[in-house]
Amino acid sequence: MDYVAPWWLPGGNLQTIWAALYARRGPRTPPVYRRERWDTPDGDFIEVDFLQPAAGAPAPASTAPLLVLFHGLEGSSRSHYAEALAHQAQQRGWAFAVPHFRGCGGSLNRAPRAYHSGDFEEIGWVLQRMGARHAGPRIAVGVSLGGNALLRWAEEAGESARAQVRAVAAVSAPLDLAAGAAAIGRGFNRHVYTRMFLATMKPKALQKLAQHPGLFDAAALHAARDLHAFDDVFTAPLHGFRDAADYWARCSAGPHLGRIRVPALVLNARNDPFVPAASLPSAAPGVHGPQVEVWRPATGGHVGFPRGRLPPGEVRAMPEAVADWLAARLAG
């Protein structure tokens, strides 16, 4: 990816925050979605948003490609990257869908669980169901947490991944979860990003406790001041891990990239405040096998990559580059 941040947005934090809050995502009219609720095999549900045609535009053909987006931590179909990717799909005549991880669609899910960075079984179930209803080829993008989970699915699926997708792309994924958690727990990141995430994650966890009394220690959750403590008391035990360290070690996609057997793009900016550059995979061709391509631009922040000569700028650079890469794999 040939990307250089605009002069008026120096540094990974500004590139991250400005893109999420202020940059243009596409046309003035935000994408319109149609929501479906899907019952899961374990008696729970997820909510899936399907992009609807723009006013006066035809719907994509039944054989058109379908782009499936797996969002990041506490993200949704209204996240800045989701709306920007939706516009890219619309311009290319692709169908577009955003399956929300459990509890992220606006409704509290039923089961005594939530979602996590290595939720590859959920990814596989979603993609299989998408394939059963969509005749055209499928491609998938995962952003941040969703990117790590998507790559973990591709790693676990091996050759069978080709039956579900033509290609996958992971954007700003923390492929070493321990390194990412350490980075977000220090200094500016701890005061801004950690507080932001915990402000929504803690109330949702307490709702889950009210739904399932005794599920975890409420006092320990209230005392959590970083993602390590939160994952120790909530994420890890609810999803079958011993503790946060066990969860991070078993769910990090980075050590297993060589197992991927479907074309895969891994995109991380080297100034991402959440993902230390030292934890990123090598960009040398072939290091991770013939299917994995790694892009490591020097700038871009975390799911930022804004561009524009003057403010407010736009967030089209990453969605456009990733969509171009996916389109080339569809053509091939």
PDB file of all heavy atoms in Angstrom, residues 185-202:
ATOM      1  N   GLY A 185      -2.203  -0.371  27.265  1.00  0.00           N
ATOM      2  CA  GLY A 185      -2.283  -0.170  28.707  1.00  0.00           C
ATOM      3  C   GLY A 185      -1.280   0.813  29.259  1.00  0.00           C
ATOM      4  O   GLY A 185      -1.174   0.952  30.487  1.00  0.00           O
ATOM      5  N   ARG A 186      -0.535   1.500  28.375  1.00  0.00           N
ATOM      6  CA  ARG A 186       0.503   2.422  28.829  1.00  0.00           C
ATOM      7  C   ARG A 186       0.197   3.864  28.457  1.00  0.00           C
ATOM      8  O   ARG A 186      -0.349   4.133  27.377  1.00  0.00           O
ATOM      9  CB  ARG A 186       1.862   2.051  28.218  1.00  0.00           C
ATOM     10  CG  ARG A 186       2.456   0.751  28.692  1.00  0.00           C
ATOM     11  CD  ARG A 186       3.901   0.630  28.240  1.00  0.00           C
ATOM     12  NE  ARG A 186       4.019   0.568  26.789  1.00  0.00           N
ATOM     13  CZ  ARG A 186       4.175  -0.559  26.099  1.00  0.00           C
ATOM     14  NH1 ARG A 186       4.194  -1.722  26.721  1.00  0.00           N
ATOM     15  NH2 ARG A 186       4.296  -0.519  24.783  1.00  0.00           N
ATOM     16  N   GLY A 187       0.574   4.807  29.321  1.00  0.00           N
ATOM     17  CA  GLY A 187       0.594   6.238  29.027  1.00  0.00           C
ATOM     18  C   GLY A 187      -0.689   6.796  28.437  1.00  0.00           C
ATOM     19  O   GLY A 187      -1.784   6.554  28.943  1.00  0.00           O
ATOM     20  N   PHE A 188      -0.523   7.543  27.347  1.00  0.00           N
ATOM     21  CA  PHE A 188      -1.659   8.174  26.667  1.00  0.00           C
ATOM     22  C   PHE A 188      -2.713   7.147  26.287  1.00  0.00           C
ATOM     23  O   PHE A 188      -3.918   7.384  26.448  1.00  0.00           O
ATOM     24  CB  PHE A 188      -1.153   8.892  25.420  1.00  0.00           C
ATOM     25  CG  PHE A 188      -2.227   9.538  24.587  1.00  0.00           C
ATOM     26  CD1 PHE A 188      -2.656  10.826  24.841  1.00  0.00           C
ATOM     27  CD2 PHE A 188      -2.823   8.836  23.534  1.00  0.00           C
ATOM     28  CE1 PHE A 188      -3.653  11.420  24.069  1.00  0.00           C
ATOM     29  CE2 PHE A 188      -3.817   9.419  22.758  1.00  0.00           C
ATOM     30  CZ  PHE A 188      -4.240  10.720  23.028  1.00  0.00           C
ATOM     31  N   ASN A 189      -2.269   6.011  25.780  1.00  0.00           N
ATOM     32  CA  ASN A 189      -3.211   4.979  25.351  1.00  0.00           C
ATOM     33  C   ASN A 189      -4.109   4.530  26.505  1.00  0.00           C
ATOM     34  O   ASN A 189      -5.309   4.317  26.328  1.00  0.00           O
ATOM     35  CB  ASN A 189      -2.454   3.759  24.807  1.00  0.00           C
ATOM     36  CG  ASN A 189      -1.739   4.055  23.508  1.00  0.00           C
ATOM     37  OD1 ASN A 189      -1.903   5.118  22.929  1.00  0.00           O
ATOM     38  ND2 ASN A 189      -0.935   3.106  23.054  1.00  0.00           N
ATOM     39  N   ARG A 190      -3.519   4.341  27.675  1.00  0.00           N
ATOM     40  CA  ARG A 190      -4.292   3.896  28.841  1.00  0.00           C
ATOM     41  C   ARG A 190      -5.344   4.929  29.219  1.00  0.00           C
ATOM     42  O   ARG A 190      -6.482   4.588  29.532  1.00  0.00           O
ATOM     43  CB  ARG A 190      -3.340   3.641  30.014  1.00  0.00           C
ATOM     44  CG  ARG A 190      -4.023   3.138  31.289  1.00  0.00           C
ATOM     45  CD  ARG A 190      -3.020   3.034  32.438  1.00  0.00           C
ATOM     46  NE  ARG A 190      -3.629   2.516  33.643  1.00  0.00           N
ATOM     47  CZ  ARG A 190      -3.611   1.239  33.997  1.00  0.00           C
ATOM     48  NH1 ARG A 190      -3.021   0.351  33.218  1.00  0.00           N
ATOM     49  NH2 ARG A 190      -4.176   0.846  35.129  1.00  0.00           N
ATOM     50  N   HIS A 191      -4.965   6.213  29.172  1.00  0.00           N
ATOM     51  CA  HIS A 191      -5.884   7.268  29.598  1.00  0.00           C
ATOM     52  C   HIS A 191      -6.988   7.541  28.571  1.00  0.00           C
ATOM     53  O   HIS A 191      -8.068   8.010  28.943  1.00  0.00           O
ATOM     54  CB  HIS A 191      -5.099   8.555  29.877  1.00  0.00           C
ATOM     55  CG  HIS A 191      -4.231   8.467  31.091  1.00  0.00           C
ATOM     56  ND1 HIS A 191      -4.723   8.337  32.366  1.00  0.00           N
ATOM     57  CD2 HIS A 191      -2.876   8.462  31.222  1.00  0.00           C
ATOM     58  CE1 HIS A 191      -3.738   8.273  33.237  1.00  0.00           C
ATOM     59  NE2 HIS A 191      -2.602   8.348  32.563  1.00  0.00           N
ATOM     60  N   VAL A 192      -6.719   7.262  27.303  1.00  0.00           N
ATOM     61  CA  VAL A 192      -7.703   7.572  26.266  1.00  0.00           C
ATOM     62  C   VAL A 192      -8.395   6.310  25.747  1.00  0.00           C
ATOM     63  O   VAL A 192      -9.591   6.112  25.945  1.00  0.00           O
ATOM     64  CB  VAL A 192      -7.044   8.346  25.102  1.00  0.00           C
ATOM     65  CG1 VAL A 192      -8.050   8.591  23.982  1.00  0.00           C
ATOM     66  CG2 VAL A 192      -6.498   9.676  25.615  1.00  0.00           C
ATOM     67  N   TYR A 193      -7.649   5.434  25.111  1.00  0.00           N
ATOM     68  CA  TYR A 193      -8.267   4.285  24.454  1.00  0.00           C
ATOM     69  C   TYR A 193      -8.785   3.249  25.454  1.00  0.00           C
ATOM     70  O   TYR A 193      -9.901   2.727  25.294  1.00  0.00           O
ATOM     71  CB  TYR A 193      -7.279   3.625  23.493  1.00  0.00           C
ATOM     72  CG  TYR A 193      -6.690   4.547  22.476  1.00  0.00           C
ATOM     73  CD1 TYR A 193      -5.309   4.727  22.384  1.00  0.00           C
ATOM     74  CD2 TYR A 193      -7.492   5.267  21.589  1.00  0.00           C
ATOM     75  CE1 TYR A 193      -4.748   5.575  21.445  1.00  0.00           C
ATOM     76  CE2 TYR A 193      -6.937   6.122  20.644  1.00  0.00           C
ATOM     77  CZ  TYR A 193      -5.568   6.272  20.583  1.00  0.00           C
ATOM     78  OH  TYR A 193      -5.025   7.118  19.664  1.00  0.00           O
ATOM     79  N   THR A 194      -7.992   2.927  26.468  1.00  0.00           N
ATOM     80  CA  THR A 194      -8.446   1.943  27.453  1.00  0.00           C
ATOM     81  C   THR A 194      -9.712   2.419  28.148  1.00  0.00           C
ATOM     82  O   THR A 194     -10.673   1.659  28.312  1.00  0.00           O
ATOM     83  CB  THR A 194      -7.345   1.655  28.489  1.00  0.00           C
ATOM     84  OG1 THR A 194      -6.238   1.049  27.828  1.00  0.00           O
ATOM     85  CG2 THR A 194      -7.849   0.713  29.567  1.00  0.00           C
ATOM     86  N   ARG A 195      -9.729   3.680  28.545  1.00  0.00           N
ATOM     87  CA  ARG A 195     -10.942   4.220  29.191  1.00  0.00           C
ATOM     88  C   ARG A 195     -12.139   4.172  28.252  1.00  0.00           C
ATOM     89  O   ARG A 195     -13.258   3.855  28.665  1.00  0.00           O
ATOM     90  CB  ARG A 195     -10.689   5.659  29.633  1.00  0.00           C
ATOM     91  CG  ARG A 195      -9.824   5.784  30.866  1.00  0.00           C
ATOM     92  CD  ARG A 195      -9.745   7.231  31.333  1.00  0.00           C
ATOM     93  NE  ARG A 195      -8.966   7.369  32.553  1.00  0.00           N
ATOM     94  CZ  ARG A 195      -8.785   8.516  33.186  1.00  0.00           C
ATOM     95  NH1 ARG A 195      -9.339   9.631  32.698  1.00  0.00           N
ATOM     96  NH2 ARG A 195      -8.066   8.565  34.287  1.00  0.00           N
ATOM     97  N   MET A 196     -11.909   4.480  26.984  1.00  0.00           N
ATOM     98  CA  MET A 196     -13.002   4.461  26.003  1.00  0.00           C
ATOM     99  C   MET A 196     -13.597   3.065  25.873  1.00  0.00           C
ATOM    100  O   MET A 196     -14.817   2.885  25.902  1.00  0.00           O
ATOM    101  CB  MET A 196     -12.481   4.945  24.655  1.00  0.00           C
ATOM    102  CG  MET A 196     -13.496   4.883  23.521  1.00  0.00           C
ATOM    103  SD  MET A 196     -12.732   5.223  21.916  1.00  0.00           S
ATOM    104  CE  MET A 196     -11.736   3.740  21.669  1.00  0.00           C
ATOM    105  N   PHE A 197     -12.733   2.054  25.734  1.00  0.00           N
ATOM    106  CA  PHE A 197     -13.240   0.691  25.581  1.00  0.00           C
ATOM    107  C   PHE A 197     -13.936   0.203  26.851  1.00  0.00           C
ATOM    108  O   PHE A 197     -15.029  -0.371  26.794  1.00  0.00           O
ATOM    109  CB  PHE A 197     -12.092  -0.258  25.218  1.00  0.00           C
ATOM    110  CG  PHE A 197     -11.626  -0.125  23.801  1.00  0.00           C
ATOM    111  CD1 PHE A 197     -10.277   0.023  23.511  1.00  0.00           C
ATOM    112  CD2 PHE A 197     -12.524  -0.146  22.743  1.00  0.00           C
ATOM    113  CE1 PHE A 197      -9.831   0.137  22.206  1.00  0.00           C
ATOM    114  CE2 PHE A 197     -12.092  -0.024  21.432  1.00  0.00           C
ATOM    115  CZ  PHE A 197     -10.740   0.115  21.163  1.00  0.00           C
ATOM    116  N   LEU A 198     -13.320   0.420  28.009  1.00  0.00           N
ATOM    117  CA  LEU A 198     -13.913  -0.060  29.250  1.00  0.00           C
ATOM    118  C   LEU A 198     -15.238   0.637  29.560  1.00  0.00           C
ATOM    119  O   LEU A 198     -16.107   0.062  30.222  1.00  0.00           O
ATOM    120  CB  LEU A 198     -12.937   0.128  30.411  1.00  0.00           C
ATOM    121  CG  LEU A 198     -11.686  -0.763  30.390  1.00  0.00           C
ATOM    122  CD1 LEU A 198     -10.812  -0.473  31.610  1.00  0.00           C
ATOM    123  CD2 LEU A 198     -12.061  -2.233  30.348  1.00  0.00           C
ATOM    124  N   ALA A 199     -15.405   1.865  29.071  1.00  0.00           N
ATOM    125  CA  ALA A 199     -16.648   2.601  29.319  1.00  0.00           C
ATOM    126  C   ALA A 199     -17.864   1.897  28.724  1.00  0.00           C
ATOM    127  O   ALA A 199     -18.990   2.057  29.212  1.00  0.00           O
ATOM    128  CB  ALA A 199     -16.543   4.020  28.761  1.00  0.00           C
ATOM    129  N   THR A 200     -17.685   1.123  27.658  1.00  0.00           N
ATOM    130  CA  THR A 200     -18.805   0.358  27.097  1.00  0.00           C
ATOM    131  C   THR A 200     -18.738  -1.114  27.477  1.00  0.00           C
ATOM    132  O   THR A 200     -19.766  -1.757  27.665  1.00  0.00           O
ATOM    133  CB  THR A 200     -18.840   0.476  25.564  1.00  0.00           C
ATOM    134  OG1 THR A 200     -17.603  -0.003  25.014  1.00  0.00           O
ATOM    135  CG2 THR A 200     -19.056   1.913  25.134  1.00  0.00           C
ATOM    136  N   MET A 201     -17.517  -1.656  27.625  1.00  0.00           N
ATOM    137  CA  MET A 201     -17.379  -3.083  27.912  1.00  0.00           C
ATOM    138  C   MET A 201     -17.835  -3.448  29.323  1.00  0.00           C
ATOM    139  O   MET A 201     -18.464  -4.488  29.538  1.00  0.00           O
ATOM    140  CB  MET A 201     -15.927  -3.513  27.687  1.00  0.00           C
ATOM    141  CG  MET A 201     -15.512  -3.468  26.225  1.00  0.00           C
ATOM    142  SD  MET A 201     -13.715  -3.453  25.983  1.00  0.00           S
ATOM    143  CE  MET A 201     -13.274  -5.058  26.613  1.00  0.00           C
ATOM    144  N   LYS A 202     -17.513  -2.608  30.296  1.00  0.00           N
ATOM    145  CA  LYS A 202     -17.916  -2.908  31.675  1.00  0.00           C
ATOM    146  C   LYS A 202     -19.436  -2.936  31.857  1.00  0.00           C
ATOM    147  O   LYS A 202     -19.977  -3.893  32.438  1.00  0.00           O
ATOM    148  CB  LYS A 202     -17.276  -1.903  32.642  1.00  0.00           C
ATOM    149  CG  LYS A 202     -15.834  -2.212  33.006  1.00  0.00           C
ATOM    150  CD  LYS A 202     -15.381  -1.257  34.112  1.00  0.00           C
ATOM    151  CE  LYS A 202     -14.024  -1.626  34.658  1.00  0.00           C
ATOM    152  NZ  LYS A 202     -13.628  -0.740  35.782  1.00  0.00           N
TER     153      LYS A 202
END
